[in-house]
Amino acid sequence: MTVVPAATAEAVRLIEAHFAALEVGARVALERTYTEADVAEYVERTGIEYPGQHVADDGAHLLPPGMLLVGPARTFGILEGPPLARGGLFTAATRRYRRPVRLGESVRYEAALTDKFERGGYFYILVAWHAFDAEGHEVGSGVEEHTVGSARKPRAS
Amino acid sequence: MPTTFREGDTLVSPVVVAQTHSKGAPVQDPEVARSSGLKAPVVPNVFHFARITELMLEHFGAHWRTHGEIDVRYISPLHAGDTLQARARVLKVAPDPEGDRVHLDVRCENQDGAVLAQGAASCVLPSARGAASGTGAG
């Protein structure tokens, strides 16, 4: 018999219900303008050197490529509830970069939930996205594989 | 930045100590990690990804922002206090409609040499560069 802490069991219950309600094909569009504060937080999370390599020839500060994405947890995940129900974990990522993004530039994202599946007790979503600048040029695209929450169903004994 | 890339060249990032962030996912919280039976708070995979993309920027420069492509799968968790290093190896340099494209395998390893993330990356070279003889990247 597998014993699951009560807090985790509640997280799994919420995740499973949320996962069941997610519809493959659901789409989200959002616009974002990255600020110095956004970059500062990313730098703190990753420890990269900034501006370092992120300076254009004309001296403008550029968005670190790792920041260009639609967060799967923010768009299709759970934002409230027990800790292990919220957010989730990236398990794979595909990115294509096409144009640099300058700090302060507006980026429009179009994202879609393209698949969902269970594996090893975790609940996964695939989110495909494209990002465009103010002139409509694609600046990048990607596919993110991500878990819904960080809890998993107990394995059968 | 190297002037050319040749099959077998190896690119290596500095070794960094993994850290969590107070505004991160719940599994980064020491108390949540402890109560969930984790050995230590889990460092988000954005940390791995940043190591690889910084390594690509170092070697491909601005071209990474316009022609860079990457596909990474995360294999094992990185815990706070572990060290992480990104590595890439040139597999081939092949013609692409926009120039020569360098194909690499990429990975992140911890202090024990365990592979925590791996995948593939590629980037088109500036037109003046390519697979000619010259200084390798490794």
Side-chain angles (χ1 to χ4, degrees), chain A residues 42 44-46 48 53-54 62-63 65 83-84 90-99 119 145 150, chain B residues 19 21 23 26 36 45-47 49-51 54 57-58 64-74:
Chain A
Y42 179 79
E44 192 177 339
R45 285 173 188 264
T46 61
I48 69 164
Q53 304 182 97
H54 307 282
L62 301 172
L63 192 72
L84 294 184
F90 281 97
T91 51
T94 297
R95 313 262 173 88
R96 307 276 179 265
Y97 299 110
R98 293 296 173 255
R99 280 174 180 256
R119 187 172 66 208
E145 184 187 274
S150 305
Chain B
Q19 58 192 359
H21 187 273
K23 293 182 182 175
S36 304
N45 291 335
V46 66
F47 192 89
F49 197 83
R51 299 277 86 67
E54 292 295 299
L57 277 167
E58 179 186 340
W64 179 254
R65 299 179 188 278
T66 54
H67 296 83
E69 303 188 353
I70 186 167
D71 187 358
V72 177
R73 178 160 290 279
Y74 304 101

Side-chain angles (χ1 to χ4, degrees), chain B residues 10-85:
Chain B
T10 302
L11 321 178
V12 182
S13 79
V15 176
V16 293
V17 178
Q19 58 192 359
T20 54
H21 187 273
S22 60
K23 293 182 182 175
V27 289
Q28 296 186 54
D29 181 270
E31 177 56 28
V32 173
R34 189 193 59 74
S35 63
S36 304
L38 301 171
K39 93 172 190 189
V42 175
V43 176
N45 291 335
V46 66
F47 192 89
H48 311 49
F49 197 83
R51 299 277 86 67
I52 299 173
T53 54
E54 292 295 299
L55 181 63
M56 296 297 107
L57 277 167
E58 179 186 340
H59 289 276
F60 292 106
H63 267 235
W64 179 254
R65 299 179 188 278
T66 54
H67 296 83
E69 303 188 353
I70 186 167
D71 187 358
V72 177
R73 178 160 290 279
Y74 304 101
I75 300 167
S76 297
L78 174 67
H79 294 104
D82 287 349
T83 65
L84 192 75
Q85 184 174 44

Side-chain angles (χ1 to χ4, degrees), chain A:
Chain A
M1 176 179 167
T2 305
V3 177
V4 180
T8 303
E10 173 64 3
V12 170
R13 188 189 68 74
L14 285 172
I15 291 168
E16 199 161 15
H18 179 82
F19 183 79
L22 287 174
E23 291 189 16
V24 172
R27 292 180 172 277
V28 170
L30 55 97
E31 192 154 325
R32 182 151 189 204
T33 302
Y34 294 94
T35 65
E36 288 185 13
D38 295 326
V39 174
E41 184 176 323
Y42 179 79
V43 168
E44 192 177 339
R45 285 173 188 264
T46 61
I48 69 164
E49 187 180 327
Y50 192 88
Q53 304 182 97
H54 307 282
V55 180
D57 288 344
D58 63 3
H61 287 190
L62 301 172
L63 192 72
M67 290 183 70
L68 191 69
L69 83 159
V70 168
R74 285 185 189 173
T75 47
F76 296 107
I78 300 171
L79 300 179
E80 297 178 346
L84 294 184
R86 303 195 302 262
L89 303 167
F90 281 97
T91 51
T94 297
R95 313 262 173 88
R96 307 276 179 265
Y97 299 110
R98 293 296 173 255
R99 280 174 180 256
V101 176
R102 290 164 181 258
L103 214 56
E105 188 178 355
S106 174
V107 176
R108 181 172 57 83
Y109 288 100
E110 295 177 3
L113 179 65
T114 59
D115 198 8
K116 64 175 189 176
F117 55 92
E118 283 185 57
R119 187 172 66 208
Y122 287 103
F123 297 85
Y124 291 85
I125 54 175
L126 277 183
V127 176
W129 57 266
H130 292 265
F132 305 90
D133 65 17
E135 282 77 47
H137 300 121
E138 187 172 60
V139 296
S141 62
V143 178
E144 317 295 331
E145 184 187 274
H146 200 274
T147 64
V148 178
S150 305
R152 71 176 176 190
K153 288 201 292 190
R155 292 175 179 166
S157 56

